[in-house]
Amino acid sequence: MAEKLKFAFSWNASCGGCEIAVLDIDEIILDVLEKVDILFWPVAMDFKKSDLESYEDKSIDVGFYNGAVRTSEQEEYAHLMRKKSKVLIAFGSCAHLGGIPGLANVSNRDGIFEKAYVSTLSTVNPSRVFPEPESIVNGKKLTLPEFYDDVKALDQVVDVDYYVPGCPPPPDLIAKAIDAIIKGELPPKGSVIANEKALCEECPREKNKKKIREIKRVHEAVDDGETCLLEQGIICLGPVTRGGCGARCIKANMPCRGCFGPVDKEIDMGASMLSAIASIIDEDNLTEEEQKKLVESIEDPLGLFYRFSLPVSLLRRVTLGGGNDE
Amino acid sequence: MNENGEPNILAFLCNWCSYAGADLAGVSRLQMPTNFRVIRVMCSSRVDPEIILYAFKKGIDGILVLGCHPGDCHYINGNYKTERRMIMLQKLLGQFGINPKRLKLGWVSASEGARFQEIISSFAREMEELGKLELPITEVS
Ligand code: SF4
Ligand code: SF4
């Protein structure tokens, strides 16, 4: 029998869901384990960083990195995983796009610390103690990873070979990716392992090219369960999001929030989505003023359009301090 | 900012109305600021929001998008679409910490040379007041 493939999993600025998603491939994991040895997987087995460091460079066949990069430790893991792996996969929305943790790019370290350690109602911290990279306790030096101002996607730190998108990646896609790795049938470097076309192409909802006269938030709408959500005035990021998830949110009657990221050649999800919205407003039945009001009613375009992709968007982050535009 | 310390201004002008209007301002020898560059587009709706964000990222301090007056678009409704996009874009820019005044939409017809002069001059003054657009370092390795 051929030698087993060697995998490593590293978790970073993430919620842990991507790790669970790996287990969600259910019994397939047993087949996988027949062909694969896992050399590093701190969430599931007792591994230490020194284990990873002890391996020879490029001795891991495939490294899966999930989570965004926001601390010095996560940055170190990005470099370490790159060095030890032949193929490095950005696994899940956070490693691929920055993901939900990437929304922290509306603020910075000071802003986040102020909120988390001072101003939340449940916090009592009159002496304003914050996590510090180094502190002396009883004459001993304690260290913590440094918390950066900026959240990055994995490929903004190291070279990435493939992306498995999704928050979290769906089990069938994970199984497909692992199968392709085992069979040595991987697509060209840099590919996102999902569909090429936008989500709307695989969405089961009925599309009538209808223009909209209202924009409703999810809790304000009564979904008919059949027609395209966007045509019902519920903002759905399907037109600007890569397909491949099986429209799982739509099947649960929720609009797409864009976790699979942009389709090929699309540069900025927010810019594309606002174009899409501008194009479907019912001009024939609304006055110019009404049209303007309608688009003005979108309360938080940044949070809505860049829910998962702020760190990889054109502007990447909010400008704070120093600028003259505040 | 350009080498003279003036703001870098980009003006997207539609082929059918605003470009002709700007041309008229030129041949009429109207006094205008010099720190703007014109990009002619077939229709103001050709200006994809991605282009605007990209221009700001690359060091442009202010962007004017000019099209035909409402009802006069050569392609019937391109300018209305542009208007809706610009409203959303301005809100988005504000959220990104960029003064929404740095993006302006206006209507100039082919016969309105003087109006073009007025819009570009007042926009240049406004940008002068706002100064350089300071974005965080957005390039990542
Ligand atoms: S916009 Fe949303 S609901 Fe409509 S077709 Fe696309 S994915 Fe489906
Ligand atoms: S529908 Fe959209 S948000 Fe939901 S899983 Fe698919 S890509 Fe992600």
Side-chain angles (χ1 to χ4, degrees):
Chain A
M1 193 189 144
E3 213 186 311
K4 279 184 163 187
L5 285 168
K6 300 187 181 70
F7 281 11
F9 297 88
S10 163
W11 64 338
N12 298 280
S14 67
C15 65
C18 284
E19 304 278 355
I20 308 300
V22 175
L23 297 173
D24 273 348
I25 61 175
D26 298 335
E27 67 283 355
I28 302 176
I29 199 148
L30 298 175
D31 302 338
V32 172
L33 288 175
E34 256 173 39
K35 297 181 184 107
V36 170
D37 271 336
I38 296 178
L39 297 196
F40 186 75
W41 197 7
V43 79
M45 302 176 213
D46 187 17
F47 283 110
K48 299 279 180 280
K49 189 168 157 203
S50 53
D51 296 316
L52 188 55
E53 282 166 338
S54 72
Y55 302 137
E56 267 180 41
D57 289 359
K58 306 280 170 221
S59 61
I60 292 164
D61 293 295
V62 188
F64 295 83
Y65 186 105
N66 77 67
V69 186
R70 85 151 358 134
T71 67
S72 55
E73 183 186 42
Q74 290 151 0
E75 189 178 34
E76 228 178 290
Y77 268 106
H79 290 289
L80 203 51
M81 287 287 283
R82 176 68 279 182
K83 203 163 131 206
K84 303 293 174 185
S85 314
K86 288 191 191 101
V87 170
L88 181 64
I89 295 186
F91 189 80
S93 301
C94 301
H96 176 205
L97 312 163
I100 297 289
L103 280 175
N105 282 1
V106 303
S107 187
N108 57 9
R109 175 178 44 205
D110 288 350
I112 292 165
F113 278 13
E114 190 67 28
K115 186 88 188 175
Y117 298 108
V118 180
S119 69
T120 39
L121 288 176
S122 56
T123 306
V124 181
N125 184 8
S127 44
R128 299 177 61 82
V129 179
F130 295 113
E132 295 292 341
E134 276 183 18
S135 43
I136 308 288
V137 177
N138 296 336
K140 293 209 171 62
K141 191 169 88 180
L142 300 180
T143 60
L144 278 176
E146 192 185 336
F147 190 101
Y148 293 143
D149 275 330
D150 204 45
V151 176
K152 289 178 183 156
L154 182 60
D155 67 2
Q156 294 173 330
V157 179
V158 292
D159 192 38
V160 168
D161 298 297
Y162 299 102
Y163 305 84
V164 177
C167 182
D172 62 323
L173 214 63
I174 301 174
K176 198 171 121 189
I178 294 183
D179 190 52
I181 294 166
I182 291 174
K183 294 195 177 128
E185 292 169 355
L186 277 166
K189 184 179 156 151
S191 300
V192 180
I193 302 182
N195 293 352
E196 271 169 34
K197 289 193 172 148
L199 179 68
C200 293
E201 300 274 333
E202 69 192 52
C203 173
R205 294 242 172 183
E206 203 179 296
K207 287 142 259 185
N208 307 307
K209 298 216 165 93
K210 199 177 136 254
K211 305 261 171 170
I212 57 170
R213 275 179 242 171
E214 289 177 285
I215 291 178
K216 286 172 277 189
R217 300 177 77 179
V218 174
H219 65 277
E220 297 163 342
V222 184
D223 169 26
D224 68 14
E226 280 165 20
T227 10
C228 163
L229 292 164
L230 206 48
E231 289 178 10
Q232 294 185 63
I234 303 162
I235 293 179
C236 175
L237 264 63
V240 301
T241 304
R242 183 186 293 276
C245 66
R248 54 185 171 173
C249 295
I250 319 290
K251 285 178 186 159
N253 300 325
M254 284 300 281
C256 173
R257 288 300 178 232
C259 80
F260 266 48
V263 292
D264 286 341
K265 299 206 173 78
E266 177 187 339
I267 305 166
D268 188 281
M269 291 184 88
S272 307
M273 192 60 211
L274 70 85
S275 288
I277 293 174
S279 314
I280 56 157
I281 305 290
D282 189 346
E283 282 172 348
D284 299 336
N285 294 296
L286 294 175
T287 65
E288 199 187 336
E289 272 320 299
E290 286 169 334
Q291 295 174 31
K292 285 205 241 172
K293 270 224 182 79
L294 197 55
V295 292
E296 267 163 16
S297 73
I298 301 172
E299 281 196 22
D300 175 17
L302 188 149
L304 186 56
F305 301 159
Y306 298 100
R307 178 81 49 99
F308 291 93
S309 68
L310 185 55
V312 299
S313 69
L314 274 171
L315 295 175
R316 285 208 66 247
R317 63 165 298 113
V318 167
T319 303
L320 303 157
N324 35 19
D325 276 21
E326 282 178 81
Chain B
M1 290 286 179
N2 65 18
E3 56 279 10
N4 302 327
E6 298 161 327
N8 279 321
I9 294 172
L10 212 52
F12 290 96
L13 309 181
C14 89
N15 181 58
W16 305 100
C17 300
S18 316
Y19 188 84
D23 206 27
L24 179 61
V27 294
S28 317
R29 296 172 182 263
L30 301 179
Q31 277 293 315
M32 280 180 282
T34 52
N35 54 324
F36 71 96
R37 294 287 172 275
V38 170
I39 296 181
R40 172 156 58 158
V41 286
M42 289 311 281
C43 175
S44 60
S45 68
R46 169 66 184 87
V47 186
D48 192 297
E50 272 175 357
I51 298 176
I52 302 221
L53 299 180
Y54 187 76
F56 281 129
K57 183 180 170 129
K58 288 291 173 192
I60 296 296
D61 302 300
I63 299 175
L64 258 183
V65 178
L66 302 181
C68 308
H69 283 271
D72 288 351
C73 175
H74 188 79
Y75 306 98
I76 301 168
N77 58 0
N79 50 0
Y80 289 112
K81 192 194 255 181
T82 309
E83 185 173 39
R84 296 193 293 268
R85 282 178 181 168
M86 293 300 146
I87 290 169
M88 286 187 270
L89 254 178
Q90 281 166 331
K91 193 159 181 180
L92 192 62
L93 289 176
Q95 285 189 298
F96 268 110
I98 296 173
N99 193 322
K101 286 197 188 126
R102 292 188 184 273
L103 174 63
K104 191 185 169 88
L105 173 68
W107 312 129
V108 172
S109 78
S111 61
E112 294 176 323
R115 184 177 160 88
F116 177 79
Q117 176 209 31
E118 196 188 299
I119 290 179
I120 189 74
S121 309
S122 70
F123 189 68
R125 269 197 306 278
E126 245 179 291
M127 292 308 105
E128 192 69 53
E129 274 164 34
L130 283 179
K132 183 176 164 50
L133 171 60
E134 306 265 8
L135 287 182
I137 297 159
T138 53
E139 293 299 344
V140 282
S141 59

